[in-house]
Amino acid sequence: MNDNLILVTGGTGFIAQHCILALLGAGYRVRTTVRSPARETEVRGNLRTSGAEPGDRLSFVAADLTADRGWAEAVAGCAYVLHGASPTPSGDQVREDDWIKPAVDGNLRVLRAARDAGVGRVVLTSAFGAVGIGHQPSHRRPFDESDWSDLTSNVAPYQKSKTLSERAAWDFIAREGRELELSAINPVAVLGPALGADYSHSIRLIKTLMDGQPGCSKINSGFVDVRDVADLHLRAMTHPAARGERFLAISGESMWLVDVAKVLRRRMGAAAGRVSTRVLPNWVVRLAARSDPMMKGILPTLGVNMNATSEKAMRLLGWTPRSPEDAIVATAESLVRLGLLRSSKQAA
């Protein structure tokens, strides 16, 4: 059993909880941060969904990315840090800076605490939003780790915050990181087994299809299973070749939303009775975007191929993710198992 202590920030998060499961499965002791100690029960309950009962091999520290308090305690004695916590939107974000400043400051706060505590390496959970957004349609595909989102273009505040906060992390390491090492993981849309009702934005995409969304916008995305994202974090944590590198996490080729719907129809039987494989014309999406913020958010990517490659992670770290189809099905199965879908009595 590996007795090293690992800090996973943001223990209520979807990726973070799967990282905790992977670390416990590999024999590590885990400490995780939560903004409120009251959420420990929720986190342990979600882990129990996957059969994990870590007892005292999992501990909790209250810490918030917007304040220094708690971070020295959180990192004390830790060999590595998996930093996936990100500021939670409150609905009060009026200016871009309301998104960007907490994300940038939060990364620097964790890195500074890790450096001062003698942590060996931080693995930062960044995002494809820091890689493939804002580029011209003529930009080469597939995207790889040399790409950064073009912030001079039409980039949403969340994606801008991910880009600037990752850049700030690399700048910190270069300028004042001293012995601290950094790796970054940049996942595309993360699917896989939900552990409870508090799940990722990407899983909401599958839930919306299963609940009878009236059609599929012409959007394209890469997909990856959260268990493989967790596995990549562990590989990047200890592998010598991961030092100072960023790794895109995508399984296979990107997919159009209608093809995701077709996978659900083919693999999920009656549970996918509401899933529509009708493609919505762009003008319908643009009309809906006038009153629907979610629709407005996808306008810049309508019809844009977002393909990327994980060749680097596979070559350097030996990473072998599940197929995107299996990730889609695992997501849908978990939504059914947890009773998180609307009644599917009426087939589409």
Side-chain angles (χ1 to χ4, degrees):
M1 181 170 287
N2 191 328
D3 208 43
N4 277 339
L5 177 62
I6 316 299
L7 175 68
V8 178
T9 68
T12 58
F14 178 55
I15 295 175
Q17 289 178 9
H18 278 277
C19 284
I20 291 170
L21 287 168
L23 287 164
L24 291 170
Y28 292 100
R29 292 181 298 128
V30 181
R31 179 184 294 151
T32 191
T33 62
V34 287
R35 285 188 295 277
S36 166
R39 299 197 73 179
E40 175 176 346
T41 301
E42 171 196 334
V43 174
R44 288 190 181 274
N46 285 354
L47 299 179
R48 198 173 297 119
T49 298
S50 280
E53 293 280 4
D56 61 5
R57 293 191 68 78
L58 173 64
S59 57
F60 290 75
V61 171
D64 190 306
L65 289 174
T66 62
D68 289 337
R69 186 167 52 87
W71 287 107
E73 180 187 355
V75 297
C78 292
Y80 303 100
V81 172
L82 305 187
H83 175 39
S86 57
T88 301
S90 64
D92 298 327
Q93 284 82 357
V94 177
R95 304 167 301 142
E96 277 195 345
D97 204 40
D98 295 332
W99 288 87
I100 294 167
K101 190 175 189 305
V104 171
D105 291 352
N107 276 2
L108 297 180
R109 184 166 277 115
V110 171
L111 289 169
R112 198 172 291 116
R115 177 201 63 192
D116 293 347
V119 168
R121 182 180 294 174
V122 171
V123 181
L124 172 67
T125 310
S126 185
F128 179 73
V131 174
I133 307 301
H135 297 282
Q136 296 299 316
S138 59
H139 185 84
R140 60 170 179 75
R141 301 290 193 278
F143 291 106
D144 64 28
E145 290 83 359
S146 67
D147 291 307
W148 286 88
S149 291
D150 183 357
L151 301 188
T152 65
S153 187
N154 184 9
V155 178
Y158 169 77
Q159 294 158 339
K160 189 172 287 190
S161 75
K162 280 296 190 182
T163 306
L164 292 174
S165 60
E166 187 190 337
R167 282 200 179 276
W170 289 114
D171 289 345
F172 173 88
I173 292 296
R175 188 177 64 250
E176 52 186 301
R178 300 202 287 266
E179 301 303 313
L180 180 64
E181 298 176 359
L182 178 66
S183 299
I185 308 297
N186 298 75
V188 291
V190 181
L191 301 179
L195 300 176
D198 187 2
Y199 43 76
S200 72
H201 178 77
S202 301
I203 284 185
R204 195 166 288 114
L205 182 77
I206 304 300
K207 174 174 162 51
T208 303
L209 286 171
M210 300 280 284
D211 280 344
Q213 177 177 283
C216 301
S217 308
K218 292 179 183 175
I219 58 172
N220 182 273
S221 178
F223 296 99
V224 64
D225 191 291
V226 66
R227 293 165 293 184
D228 297 318
V229 175
D231 175 62
L232 186 53
H233 276 73
L234 267 64
R235 291 170 185 269
M237 183 177 81
T238 58
H239 200 298
R243 176 184 179 180
E245 301 289 348
R246 61 201 305 239
F247 296 94
L248 268 164
I250 180 174
S251 174
E253 300 280 324
S254 63
M255 298 174 66
W256 295 97
L257 187 57
V258 67
D259 294 319
V260 175
K262 289 175 181 176
V263 168
L264 292 170
R265 293 291 298 223
R266 185 172 69 248
R267 296 280 302 272
M268 289 301 298
R274 288 178 176 264
V275 175
S276 171
T277 56
R278 172 176 170 248
V279 178
L280 297 175
N282 288 349
W283 68 265
V284 171
V285 178
R286 292 192 179 98
L287 187 64
R290 294 180 182 179
S291 57
D292 185 338
M294 187 173 291
M295 285 293 195
K296 185 177 181 181
I298 69 171
L299 290 181
T301 59
L302 268 184
V304 180
N305 186 320
M306 304 300 282
N307 198 28
T309 176
S310 282
E311 184 276 334
K312 180 178 176 181
M314 297 170 80
R315 172 173 45 86
L316 290 184
L317 305 184
W319 187 58
T320 53
R322 296 164 177 81
S323 71
E325 180 167 321
D326 285 347
I328 292 164
V329 172
T331 308
E333 288 176 341
S334 73
L335 292 172
V336 172
R337 186 168 59 249
L338 295 172
L340 297 175
L341 297 173
R342 284 169 48 194
S343 169
S344 56
K345 291 177 182 176
Q346 293 178 329

